[in-house]
């Protein structure tokens, strides 16, 4: 279930496919950076999905984690029916090989996404939301 992390990086960077005018002879990309932060070097990334900085470093690369990560990319609705993440495999956007490459990008110890990350960051919006939740809980408990 783990492929080549270098191919996974190329696919994660590519936003090609599923658009009007895209050639069907070229493989689709995952466009992961549109929703996720995957490296500190990336200047422009989306915050719709969670940060994937250090994904493999934090979770390890056990067989269970490889299977979970593959399934989460293939069909995230298995774990959350209201997920905003596209069902890349289920809808045929990415091939099984491309998904295996993405898994390797996140979990392979040789991948820079796994070995070079030293901290985890949350988007500012989430931190603000968490602080507001804590403040409201404190207010409610003091009443």
């Amino acid at each position: 279930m783990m492929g080549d992390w270098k191919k996974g990086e190329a696919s994660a960077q590519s936003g090609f496919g599923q658009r009007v005018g895209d050639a069907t002879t070229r493989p689709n990309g995952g466009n992961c950076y549109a929703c996720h932060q995957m490296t500190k070097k990336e200047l422009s990334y989306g915050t719709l999905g969670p940060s994937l900085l250090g994904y493999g470093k934090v979770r390890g690369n056990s067989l269970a984690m490889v299977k979970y990560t593959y399934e989460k990319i293939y069909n995230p609705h298995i774990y959350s029916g209201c997920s905003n993440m596209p069902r890349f495999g289920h809808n045929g956007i990415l091939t099984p090989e491309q998904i295996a490459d993405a898994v390797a990008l996140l979990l392979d110890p040789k991948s820079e996404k796994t070995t070079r990350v030293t901290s985890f960051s949350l988007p500012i919006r989430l931190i603000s939301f968490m602080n507001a939740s804590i403040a409201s809980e404190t207010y409610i408990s003091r009443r």
Side-chain angles (χ1 to χ4, degrees):
M1 285 189 184
M2 276 207 320
D4 181 348
W5 72 265
K6 291 179 182 177
K7 289 180 181 177
E9 174 66 26
S11 181
Q13 289 278 357
S14 174
F16 189 84
Q18 304 296 313
R19 299 176 298 197
V20 174
D22 283 349
T24 57
T25 56
R26 182 175 164 188
N28 292 330
N31 199 22
C32 303
Y33 288 93
C35 298
H36 302 281
Q37 179 183 16
M38 297 179 72
T39 178
K40 286 186 174 189
K41 295 177 193 173
E42 190 68 35
L43 297 175
S44 177
Y45 54 86
T47 57
L48 180 64
S51 172
L52 298 177
L53 281 173
Y55 182 89
K57 184 175 184 178
V58 172
R59 291 166 182 81
N61 62 357
S62 67
L63 183 59
M65 185 50 58
V66 170
K67 184 177 185 289
Y68 167 80
T69 304
Y70 186 94
E71 289 174 347
K72 184 72 174 174
I73 296 170
Y74 189 90
N75 184 3
H77 293 210
I78 291 172
Y79 297 100
S80 174
C82 297
S83 176
N84 288 325
M85 186 166 165
R87 297 187 281 179
F88 286 105
H90 180 78
N91 290 335
I93 298 168
L94 296 178
T95 65
E97 294 79 20
Q98 287 176 303
I99 295 172
D101 294 340
V103 170
L105 174 66
L106 295 170
L107 298 176
D108 190 322
K110 297 175 192 157
S111 167
E112 66 180 36
K113 304 298 179 279
T114 303
T115 58
R116 294 189 186 161
V117 176
T118 57
S119 66
F120 178 77
S121 64
L122 291 173
I124 299 295
R125 291 182 303 186
L126 183 54
I127 292 170
S128 298
F129 172 76
M130 290 167 54
N131 288 339
S133 295
I134 292 167
S136 68
E137 286 175 18
T138 304
Y139 173 74
I140 291 169
S141 66
R142 289 184 183 171
R143 292 182 90 195

